[in-house]
Amino acid sequence: MLLDKLKAKISYLVTPEILSLLVLDCVLLPLALFTAVWLRLGAEWDPKLTPNLWIFLSVPFWTIPVFINFGLYRAVIKYLDDKVIYVVFAGVSISILILTFLIYIFAVTAFPRTSIVIYGLFALVYIGGSRFLLRGVLRSSFGRSNIPEPVVIYGAGEAGVQLASSLAHGRKYIARFFVDDDKSKWHTTVRGIKVYPPQKLHALATRFAFKHILLAIPSANISRRREIIKQMEQESLYVQTLPGINDIISGSIKFSDLKNIEIEDLLGREMVPPNINLLKKNILDKNILITGAGGSIGSELARQIAKLNPQILVILDSSEFALYSIHQELIAKYPYLKIIDILGSVTNDGIVNDAIYTYKINTIYHAAAYKHVPIVELNPLSGIKNNVLGTLVVANAAIKHNVANMVLISTDKAVRPTNVMGASKRLAELILQAFAKHGGSDTIFSMVRFGNVLGSSGSVVPLFKQQIKQGGPITITHPDIIRYFMTIPEAVELVIQSGSMAGGGEVFVLDMGQAVKIVDLARKMVYLSGLTIKDDMHPDGEIEILYTGLRPGEKLYEELLIGNNPTKTQHEQIMMANEPSLDYGYLMEQLGNMQRYINNHDAKAALDLLKVLIADYSSIK
């Protein structure tokens, strides 16, 4: 067994490269000792040393096994790093000790003692230097056949230095310069690479004709990254970045794993730290129901709620695959959590009531809705049934079974709606407002209204990504169309906190930040993909933008408030709207009529009633 272990340990030594190094070291080690003695004695060779020439020849026999044990021969020459010096130093130090021991044991008195130290220095130079010389030759030879692309690294900190070292071992890029915001680093060298201020980028790019810059600032905040990307875009430099600092620290991603910058990285914003008490208030140790749990918002609600330690999490969705997907994700992360899957529609009174009664639900997050404007515009009865009557079913069930809180996920399209989807969501809001004002129930109803979320199904961002991947064109309905964007995790975190502040009937509005012009979004995504826009000014570009005209019911811009008198809340990114509502009795009567029109498939009557109930609904065709 010992022989097998020995064979396994030295099996890698039989490669041509390693055997060549072994032969070279067998020559260099005696040469180092002879050089040391010759340097010490000069022309006055001591004849007493001649019988002890075996010491010179035997040096490899005790030194090379030490090198093998330290792993010196495991390093591939082309990808050798500076750590090899420590290995050689350790091996040579042990070699010196063994040499000293042999000279003492065999009483080689003619051997000059100072030459032992000189031998160590020469051995270190010969063995270590030969490695780096061979590495340079191999890299130079490789470079002649496939020259790595020169790049600039933005960030001369630890991440940038490790990235430069990683690139030196690869075949694709070679770091030419560092650029850093820290003035103290300007015009210094780090690992032999000079550091310049960002203001020098244009001159450097013009002089050295590089087109690629790598961001090595994983801890930089979003606003700073935006500024840097804007500067790079002006210089027409293609940008890639390191993964986030958390991924690097966890070890799941290497420094060589560069990635393209995603538009989500730039559209997002610094999140305000959440109020932990608000997050936990309606969730901790409670039974939670999420409708539409397989959708973009519903699934993120499930993720965030699961980590807040509810007693039971009930997830309801009409899509079997979506329900299965989020369930599998949740049980993998939270195996201790009791998760109940309910497959069905919120319009099914029996399913909804049974779920709430059976699992004694305390809080409902109602995210189930049809939200794609063009599809709902073509299928108005389905949209109204799901968005309006589905909300009515859930609200009635919440009252019947004494649910403590129900939060409706609404949309900016509910404000002065121009499409069926927006009007149906506004009517859903009015239902909850009417229930809250009517009283007679312990259920606290509230609504949270926000705009587009990045990465949701149907969003322009995944659509543009696909169109860019296919070589274009990118289709935009109008050159002046603008939208607000928010990341899904941020929106959901604010939704949970909003619901905890409710007293009954509130319409909470999330601060969506700055509006984004969609054509600018498209241009930025093309740039981040390393491609160029094709237009009259740039006929040789790669991606064209086509304007297709506004779709039925589509607005140039969206609003979040019906009135202009929002009230501040205890969270700086959550406002409370003060908006009109409908009389409970009147609304319930009209919803009965709406149910009849839907049952009779009378789309005209349903739409006419929708316009009556939503006074500022003006459809665009």
Side-chain angles (χ1 to χ4, degrees):
M1 181 175 288
L2 185 61
L3 184 60
D4 292 337
K5 287 183 178 179
L6 182 61
K7 286 181 179 179
K9 191 169 185 178
I10 66 173
S11 60
Y12 65 91
L13 297 174
V14 298
T15 63
E17 179 181 301
I18 301 304
L19 287 174
S20 300
L21 285 175
L22 285 168
V23 171
L24 179 63
D25 291 347
C26 286
V27 174
L28 291 178
L29 286 168
L31 181 62
L33 184 56
F34 178 80
T35 305
V37 174
W38 177 82
L39 188 65
R40 174 66 181 78
L41 298 178
E44 300 178 2
W45 179 264
D46 190 339
K48 295 179 181 178
L49 282 175
T50 303
N52 297 297
L53 288 179
W54 62 270
I55 291 181
F56 294 87
L57 300 177
S58 65
V59 172
F61 290 98
W62 71 71
T63 305
I64 286 180
V66 173
F67 285 159
I68 292 174
N69 189 61
F70 283 174
L72 177 63
Y73 299 103
R74 290 185 181 276
V76 179
I77 291 297
K78 190 188 297 183
Y79 307 123
L80 205 64
D81 59 25
D82 297 343
K83 292 180 181 178
V84 72
I85 293 295
Y86 300 109
V87 175
V88 174
F89 179 79
V92 169
S93 298
I94 293 177
S95 179
I96 290 173
L97 293 175
I98 296 173
L99 176 62
T100 304
F101 177 75
L102 290 175
I103 291 172
Y104 175 78
I105 289 297
F106 291 98
V108 186
T109 56
F111 203 97
R113 300 299 186 262
T114 53
S115 63
I116 298 175
V117 176
I118 300 172
Y119 154 73
L121 296 176
F122 275 109
L124 188 64
V125 171
Y126 286 176
I127 302 300
S130 65
R131 262 68 178 173
F132 287 105
L133 180 63
L134 288 170
R135 184 186 71 173
V137 170
L138 288 172
R139 288 184 179 177
S140 175
S141 174
F142 169 77
R144 285 194 292 270
S145 60
N146 189 354
I147 301 174
E149 178 187 346
V151 296
V152 173
I153 296 177
Y154 201 118
E158 183 178 350
V161 171
Q162 292 195 43
L163 175 59
S165 177
S166 178
L167 295 179
H169 296 163
R171 304 180 177 185
K172 191 173 184 180
Y173 303 124
I174 183 169
R176 176 64 67 88
F177 307 112
F178 282 117
V179 170
D180 201 281
D181 297 329
D182 186 352
K183 293 182 180 180
S184 66
K185 295 179 181 178
W186 294 353
H187 307 297
T188 63
T189 58
V190 178
R191 294 286 182 96
I193 304 172
K194 196 164 184 179
V195 183
Y196 287 95
Q199 295 81 1
K200 292 284 187 181
L201 260 176
H202 178 75
L204 292 171
T206 302
R207 180 179 176 185
F208 296 101
F210 61 81
K211 293 290 184 182
H212 207 145
I213 191 160
L214 310 178
L215 294 189
I217 46 174
S219 59
N221 60 34
I222 292 173
S223 59
R224 180 59 190 139
R225 292 170 74 85
R226 268 198 214 105
E227 293 172 3
I228 294 171
I229 295 299
K230 185 176 181 180
Q231 182 186 0
M232 301 306 107
E233 186 176 9
Q234 292 171 348
E235 302 294 346
S236 299
L237 296 173
Y238 175 49
V239 184
Q240 284 186 295
T241 184
L242 283 175
I245 191 68
N246 291 333
D247 291 325
I248 295 172
I249 292 172
S250 69
S252 60
I253 295 180
K254 302 184 294 296
F255 278 89
S256 56
D257 291 331
L258 292 162
K259 69 184 186 74
N260 291 335
I261 294 175
E262 299 292 345
I263 193 64
E264 292 89 342
D265 299 333
L266 303 182
L267 288 180
R269 58 181 173 175
E270 304 302 324
M271 291 182 65
V272 174
N275 183 320
I276 301 301
N277 292 329
L278 290 178
L279 282 179
K280 293 182 176 180
K281 181 181 176 183
N282 292 339
I283 295 173
L284 180 64
D285 295 328
K286 291 182 170 59
N287 299 349
I288 311 298
L289 167 65
I290 304 172
T291 69
S296 304
I297 298 296
S299 60
E300 182 62 24
L301 274 166
R303 294 182 193 101
Q304 294 199 25
I305 288 171
K307 65 184 179 183
L308 293 171
N309 297 314
Q311 188 72 31
I312 300 174
L313 179 56
V314 180
I315 51 177
L316 185 152
D317 202 282
S318 59
S319 167
E320 181 187 29
F321 177 73
L323 195 64
Y324 170 79
S325 298
I326 186 60
H327 179 90
Q328 292 301 114
E329 180 182 337
L330 292 175
I331 61 173
K333 292 183 179 179
Y334 310 100
Y336 55 85
L337 179 60
K338 185 176 181 180
I339 303 170
I340 307 297
D341 302 331
I342 305 292
L343 180 61
S345 170
V346 289
T347 61
N348 189 314
D349 182 88
I351 288 177
V352 173
N353 273 276
D354 185 60
I356 294 173
Y357 172 75
T358 302
Y359 299 106
K360 298 179 174 56
I361 299 299
N362 304 114
T363 304
I364 298 172
Y365 292 93
H366 182 45
Y370 290 153
K371 62 180 184 179
H372 297 286
V373 171
I375 294 178
V376 174
E377 206 69 16
L378 289 171
N379 301 272
L381 293 180
S382 295
I384 295 170
K385 181 178 180 181
N386 192 69
N387 296 355
V388 176
L389 300 184
T391 299
L392 181 62
V393 166
V394 177
N396 274 322
I399 292 172
K400 180 179 179 180
H401 301 292
N402 298 311
V403 173
N405 293 276
M406 175 178 172
V407 182
L408 168 68
I409 310 300
S410 191
T411 171
D412 55 358
K413 293 175 177 61
V415 178
R416 284 179 273 277
T418 58
N419 50 65
V420 177
M421 194 282 279
S424 66
K425 291 298 287 184
R426 176 57 186 146
L427 187 50
E429 290 180 354
L430 288 169
I431 291 172
L432 265 62
Q433 286 178 295
F435 275 125
K437 285 194 173 184
H438 179 64
S441 165
D442 293 330
T443 303
I444 296 174
F445 294 101
S446 62
M447 297 127 272
V448 185
R449 190 187 290 160
F450 53 92
N452 298 279
V453 287
L454 293 168
S456 66
S457 58
S459 166
V460 295
V461 171
L463 173 63
F464 286 175
K465 284 181 180 180
Q466 184 62 30
Q467 290 176 336
I468 292 170
K469 185 177 180 180
Q470 293 171 349
I474 292 177
T475 55
I476 299 176
T477 57
H478 193 282
D480 296 326
I481 197 166
I482 63 172
R483 290 291 182 267
Y484 293 92
F485 289 94
M486 177 182 283
T487 63
I488 294 177
E490 181 184 14
V492 166
E493 190 175 86
L494 293 174
V495 163
I496 295 172
Q497 293 175 86
S498 299
S500 297
M501 290 189 286
E506 295 90 347
V507 178
F508 293 103
V509 178
L510 304 186
D511 177 5
M512 296 296 296
Q514 297 295 317
V516 177
K517 202 170 183 179
I518 297 300
V519 66
D520 293 339
L521 173 70
R523 292 179 183 276
K524 183 75 73 175
M525 290 182 66
V526 171
Y527 159 68
L528 293 177
S529 300
L531 303 172
T532 56
I533 291 289
K534 180 180 181 180
D535 54 22
D536 294 339
M537 298 288 292
H538 307 89
D540 297 327
E542 296 150 306
I543 304 293
E544 187 178 6
I545 294 177
L546 292 181
Y547 298 105
T548 59
L550 290 173
R551 298 172 297 183
E554 185 176 29
K555 291 195 282 187
L556 282 177
Y557 62 94
E558 301 290 357
E559 306 166 271
L560 286 167
L561 292 169
I562 295 175
N564 295 312
N565 56 343
T567 303
K568 290 184 178 180
T569 68
Q570 62 191 89
H571 195 293
E572 64 181 81
Q573 289 185 334
I574 303 173
M575 298 176 291
M576 191 167 61
N578 298 297
E579 298 181 348
S581 59
L582 295 176
D583 176 74
Y584 173 81
Y586 169 75
L587 181 57
M588 292 303 112
E589 179 185 351
Q590 296 305 322
L591 288 175
N593 292 332
M594 183 68 80
Q595 177 75 71
R596 188 170 66 255
Y597 297 149
I598 291 173
N599 291 342
N600 294 334
H601 305 288
D602 191 342
K604 183 180 183 305
L607 291 173
D608 288 342
L609 179 56
L610 193 60
K611 291 176 183 178
V612 170
L613 295 174
I614 311 299
D616 52 4
Y617 171 32
S618 56
S619 60
I620 299 175
K621 297 296 181 184

